[in-house]
Amino acid sequence: MENLSLFGPMENPEVKPDGLPDGNNIDVVRMDFVGAETTSWQMLFSGFDQLHAITYSSGISFVYRLLKLFKQAEVIFGCDEVISYSLQEVMAYQCKLIERMRENAGKMKLDLVSRIEDESLRFYVARSVLSHEKIYLLSAADGRRRVVMGSANLSHNAFGGRQRENICYIDGDQAYDWYMDCYLSLRESSTDQIFRETLLVADSSENLEELPIARTVKKNKVVMLQTTDEQKEEIRFALDVKNLTAQFAPSVPKPDKKGKLLLSPEKIKTIRRQVVADRTKEKELRSEYPQLEVFTSEGYVRLNGADVNLSPAKEEVTHDVLLFLKYMEGYEKFHGDVENMQRRYFEFANWFFCSPFMGCMRDMAVRYNQNLLPYPVFGLVYGQSKAGKTSFLETLLKMMIGQKTKLSAPEFTRSSMEGLKRTVRGAPIIVDDLTNTRFNQHAIETIKNDDFGVADHLVHYPAVVISANEDVKAVAPEVIRRTVICRVQAGLTNTEVMRSSVVRMVQREIGTAFYREYLRRMLETVPELLEMMKSDTAESTPDILAASSQIIVSILQESCTGTLPGYVRELTLEDYFSERVTGSYAIKSIQNAWRTSPSSFTISARNNELRYNAGATWEADRILKELPETLEAHKTRDLVIMNLEQAKAFFGINFKYSLIDRLLKK
């Protein structure tokens, strides 16, 4: 037998026989075929005292059965599903593995823990790329040694004869010693040990400091993680298969209760007809909904399959800018908090225009273990009726792609959004006039599970924009953190709505020149932001919303001779997600209540407590959900109870009764 295995590359790349260089050489085991035999897994593994194993997708219960055969054992677990070995993937795999080990241990748990304690049993889990081999090294006190290898993982399906596997073994010292050297090198450089404390923890996902990788970091002070190159052909192929599987799933019949699916020629024809029908429907959706693809690294944009001209004439850009400002000026005729309405609409427009870039920013964030929250893909515009919400969103979309499309509220479900986000590219999907009931039933779960496209590394999927009226009473904190929210409190009367012609005129005449100029400048800026995300030394997350607003303001300044309106300003992430922004409704409500009805408050300086009677449970809910954790707020019926000193700072109110207020209280 000559050397040896697939554990890793050798030095000195050579030229292949065909004359083409092919990088590093590989180690290959050369064997002689002695014969084949039929046996059982028990016979294959029995008669030995020690086991050292590397396995991928494993049957944990089978592993536990196998361990009973050995006085000493070590098992290294890897995972086929971990393709990049980013920190989040490693943590997720280790969490799930520990969970499976704990669930399958059952009555054996104490025995396993005892064996781990006396070091007769050791478990390790991968934190970086392992050899893809399945290797089982067996040794006995009398000197016998065996190497079992091949395609079989440690599972009953593999070793129980339920599926075809390539299983080989070699007896003797030479193979054992060589594979053992490789095993030890792998264990030291690529794995974390699973200790008894980790198996005893109730929930690994909530006790991350007990994860194997965390314990390794604690012991060694520092650990270097090296993610793999995810652009490999086999990974792209795997993702393509996964995506195509999702497309085929609705067309394929379900197996019976026993998991069996009987196929016949007629059934294949039925499946084919359904696949064709589904693809026809998808093509119809693609023709109805836009396909805006922004290629940041290549520096070009495509709309519905055609390249977009990113060099619009200056006069066309100016034309669009003046129409947009005229549209925004129209809000000055509204009744209510008009100034704040214009500011909020401008902020929302900045995110709306920027949204086609969020996919690539989120993808880079995942690759380099950055936070996804600064790159939201959901927007909510809500408030009183006749506030121009629908026409505003239609106008923004017209400026982007030259067409107006929106989804009616009854069509909005979590599953329908999944399908649309795989069909529509880039430009936001607008869900119009969503009721509070449908918002609670479908939107909240859709927004909370905002990891669409992350695992598949999609970059062209659209944002989802929801418009709703005042009946959306309270927005939960987990929604606020993931959503650009625009709450408007101004509107027109019925007759004023009927008489207004500004919206129709602007939507008829405005073009896409402004947005094409915006895209050109963003394509010069976004690659720099993506590079910044790769840095481990950066002090803050790249703020794409700030970059977007700077570009919008500069285009508007170049197109206007006069002073720009006050709502036009450069923005940052703080303008969208600071506590004073996300809590703006609560702040305004408390400030108004203190000014007009101080008797609604009960102040206890001794207990450092402020109580506010909101007058209705739903109103107390709405306020509570906008308050930051620092206020330590909680609710009892229609009472909101807060930390007094923190409330003073947050609301900007001293919360001291005047003499008249005290007399009225009495």
Side-chain angles (χ1 to χ4, degrees), residues 115-126:
R115 291 193 63 181
I116 292 173
E117 269 186 330
D118 66 24
E119 298 188 344
S120 66
L121 175 61
R122 293 186 180 92
F123 290 126
Y124 296 87
V125 59

Side-chain angles (χ1 to χ4, degrees), residues 93-116:
Y93 170 57
Q94 292 191 359
C95 276
K96 285 301 178 184
L97 176 68
I98 300 299
E99 183 180 302
R100 284 182 62 199
M101 292 177 70
R102 193 183 300 116
E103 289 173 352
N104 283 274
K107 295 178 180 179
M108 292 180 58
K109 187 173 182 179
L110 292 178
D111 181 53
L112 287 171
V113 170
S114 176
R115 291 193 63 181
I116 292 173

Side-chain angles (χ1 to χ4, degrees), residues 185-367:
S185 174
L186 181 75
R187 188 187 69 185
E188 295 306 313
S189 63
S190 304
T191 68
D192 302 305
Q193 188 169 355
I194 301 172
F195 290 93
R196 62 179 293 277
E197 291 82 2
T198 304
L199 288 177
L200 293 173
V201 167
D203 186 346
S204 298
S205 63
E206 292 186 2
N207 296 275
L208 296 179
E209 69 280 0
E210 291 298 334
L211 281 182
I213 189 171
R215 295 181 69 92
T216 302
V217 171
K218 185 177 180 179
K219 176 185 176 183
N220 298 345
K221 306 305 181 186
V222 65
V223 169
M224 173 67 74
L225 279 182
Q226 178 64 55
T227 58
T228 62
D229 179 7
E230 296 168 292
Q231 300 305 313
K232 293 178 181 177
E233 183 179 351
E234 61 267 25
I235 293 175
R236 290 202 306 271
F237 178 77
L239 293 177
D240 288 343
V241 170
K242 186 176 180 181
N243 290 333
L244 192 56
T245 300
Q247 293 177 34
F248 282 154
S251 308
V252 174
K254 300 288 188 295
D256 61 22
K257 293 180 180 179
K258 295 182 180 179
K260 295 180 179 180
L261 178 60
L262 184 63
L263 287 176
S264 63
E266 291 73 22
K267 191 158 286 186
I268 294 293
K269 290 180 181 178
T270 302
I271 294 172
R272 182 189 63 80
R273 284 194 294 269
Q274 187 61 48
V275 168
V276 170
D278 288 344
R279 288 188 170 176
T280 302
K281 184 178 179 180
E282 183 180 335
K283 287 179 181 178
E284 291 173 356
L285 282 173
R286 286 184 182 275
S287 64
E288 181 181 351
Y289 288 93
Q291 308 296 310
L292 181 66
E293 298 170 294
V294 179
F295 298 91
T296 52
S297 57
E298 295 86 352
Y300 71 96
V301 179
R302 304 194 78 194
L303 177 62
N304 299 328
D307 288 353
V308 174
N309 176 12
L310 299 180
S311 300
K314 186 175 181 180
E315 56 271 21
E316 292 179 359
V317 176
T318 300
H319 174 265
D320 285 355
V321 166
L322 295 178
L323 281 173
F324 175 69
L325 294 176
K326 185 176 183 66
Y327 184 92
M328 294 293 288
E329 183 184 338
Y331 289 122
E332 294 175 6
K333 298 178 181 179
F334 281 49
H335 308 284
D337 191 354
V338 171
E339 184 178 340
N340 186 59
M341 181 184 194
Q342 288 176 312
R343 290 172 65 89
R344 299 300 291 153
Y345 271 165
F346 180 77
E347 291 165 6
F348 199 85
N350 179 56
W351 168 79
F352 195 97
F353 291 146
C354 182
S355 65
F357 293 92
M358 291 302 180
C360 68
M361 295 297 291
R362 288 163 67 85
D363 181 55
M364 189 65 76
V366 169
R367 293 172 187 268

Side-chain angles (χ1 to χ4, degrees), residues 607-632:
N607 297 325
N608 190 29
E609 184 179 273
L610 175 69
R611 293 183 171 224
Y612 169 59
N613 189 330
T617 301
W618 61 264
E619 178 66 7
D621 278 331
R622 173 182 281 188
I623 290 171
L624 182 67
K625 288 181 178 180
E626 287 199 1
L627 298 180
E629 288 79 359
T630 53
L631 267 65
E632 302 169 9

